[in-house]
Amino acid sequence: MDIYKNSKDLRKRIDQYKQEGKRIGFFPTMGALHAGHMRLLHAAQKSCDIVVSSIFVNPTQFNNPDDLAKYPRTLPADLLLLQTEGCDVVYTPDRDDVYADEQSFSLDLKGLDSVLEGSSRPGHFDGVARVVKLLFEKVQPDVAYFGLKDFQQCMVIRQLVEQLEMPIQLQWVETSREDSGLARSSRNVRLSDAQRNAAAVIYRALQHCKANYSFPQIAQLEKEAIRLIEAEGFTVDYFQIVESENLQPNTASLKEPVALTAVYAGEVRLIDNLIL
Ligand code: PAF
């Protein structure tokens, strides 16, 4: 596995692969890798010749400095896991290497950035769009892989690629879950054992919505889901059922309803979602 801290060296290697006609798959990460990330790697291995990953805790997408400081950083273990699982290339830059040549650009996120995660974490999706654009420019993948756990992020990245006409195919990968149903997340390591067990309620609440979904009952279902989660001692930031394409509650009917939630387990913010 080749590891590059510098995007110029990374580009040289990728250019060689491209000249050899190789199809490049890419999955960006912020490290603290777990089985969910390995799903992205394995999906890329299935349809690409070369798999590139990046590990970079992107400061511009954190609106809370404490959250950035506490984000788990486990680079040696991450590199070992990627190598063991057969990743070909890893980019592990510092902030200067990512942002030094950034060109300003404008993007209309069509309100996707101002609801749900966006309203609780102002600026978060601007930071995500900035870094993903820069990483795409450096790696120039044929296909890029993202986990559906970050459903809203997937919708934002789709807008980015469409509006900037980037020649990159996007592939969403199903959320990986622990046996209890809790969505795998790098933040789970910050939960106590008791919190981790109790956090399974988040998926149960989502499943409750799926089992009982009917359009006019949305507000009632959201209330029931919040009650279930809060009964375990967590604080619900939001629990909303919206249209998957625009993330708006629709007054007519929802074509593809999705329930999305963010929950505080103590200081740890967990997100999850389910298409209903
Ligand atoms: O999903 C993540 O880990 C991050 O938001 C991403 C896409 C790597 C951008 O920093």
Side-chain angles (χ1 to χ4, degrees), residues 28-30 58 61 131-132 146 150 153:
T29 81
M30 298 205 298
N58 172 38
Q61 71 187 73
V131 78
V132 170
F146 293 89
D150 297 300
Q153 171 171 281

Side-chain angles (χ1 to χ4, degrees), residues 1 14 18 29 46 68 110-111 133 136 144 181 185 195 197 208 214:
M1 184 173 79
I14 292 180
K18 292 221 167 197
T29 81
K46 272 197 195 128
L68 172 61
K110 301 192 189 290
K133 173 179 177 281
F136 280 175
S185 161
Q195 284 173 323
N197 288 333
H208 173 76
S214 74

Side-chain angles (χ1 to χ4, degrees), residues 28-253:
T29 81
M30 298 205 298
L33 301 183
H34 51 71
H37 296 107
M38 293 309 103
R39 277 202 178 180
L40 304 179
L41 169 64
H42 296 148
Q45 283 170 329
K46 272 197 195 128
S47 58
C48 296
D49 304 305
I50 296 296
V51 181
V52 181
S53 185
S54 60
I55 299 177
F56 175 59
V57 182
N58 172 38
T60 66
Q61 71 187 73
F62 286 82
N63 58 320
N64 174 350
D66 197 44
D67 194 24
L68 172 61
K70 289 190 175 148
Y71 200 85
R73 288 160 171 87
T74 56
L75 188 60
D78 292 345
L79 293 175
L80 189 62
L81 183 60
L82 288 172
Q83 176 147 37
T84 310
E85 295 293 320
C87 188
D88 301 290
V89 176
V90 190
Y91 174 47
T92 58
D94 60 18
R95 184 183 177 136
D96 275 357
D97 201 66
V98 174
Y99 281 100
D101 302 326
E102 186 181 21
Q103 309 282 324
S104 68
F105 66 107
S106 74
L107 191 65
D108 174 11
L109 287 174
K110 301 192 189 290
L112 288 171
D113 53 334
S114 55
V115 295
L116 304 161
E117 282 303 285
S119 81
S120 298
R121 303 176 67 192
H124 169 66
F125 288 115
D126 288 341
V128 170
R130 280 175 70 187
V131 78
V132 170
K133 173 179 177 281
L134 289 164
L135 292 170
F136 280 175
E137 286 166 354
K138 291 173 200 309
V139 176
Q140 295 177 20
D142 296 289
V143 194
Y145 298 81
F146 293 89
L148 274 172
K149 183 177 83 67
D150 297 300
F151 189 89
Q152 191 171 1
Q153 171 171 281
C154 292
M155 300 302 111
V156 165
I157 291 168
R158 190 168 69 189
Q159 282 298 324
L160 173 80
V161 166
E162 279 177 17
Q163 284 179 34
L164 302 187
E165 298 182 2
M166 295 181 123
I168 299 171
Q169 187 189 323
L170 295 173
Q171 199 164 312
W172 313 139
V173 176
E174 276 304 316
T175 303
S176 168
R177 297 186 180 279
E178 299 185 359
D179 289 344
S180 68
L182 175 64
R184 288 205 164 85
S185 161
S186 303
R187 293 169 198 265
N188 291 359
V189 295
R190 294 179 55 205
L191 298 172
S192 68
D193 287 348
Q195 284 173 323
R196 199 162 177 148
N197 288 333
V201 72
I202 300 171
Y203 188 49
R204 284 203 304 278
L206 290 166
Q207 285 178 309
H208 173 76
C209 292
K210 191 175 173 82
N212 296 289
Y213 178 74
S214 74
F215 180 74
Q217 305 300 331
I218 285 178
Q220 178 60 25
L221 266 184
E222 289 171 344
K223 266 193 214 144
E224 286 168 12
I226 292 171
R227 217 177 297 129
L228 278 172
I229 297 171
E230 295 199 330
E232 292 290 341
F234 300 130
T235 306
V236 175
D237 181 17
Y238 61 79
F239 192 109
Q240 280 185 44
I241 298 173
V242 295
E243 177 59 47
S244 64
E245 202 181 312
N246 57 16
L247 305 180
Q248 296 297 321
N250 195 321
T251 45
S253 71

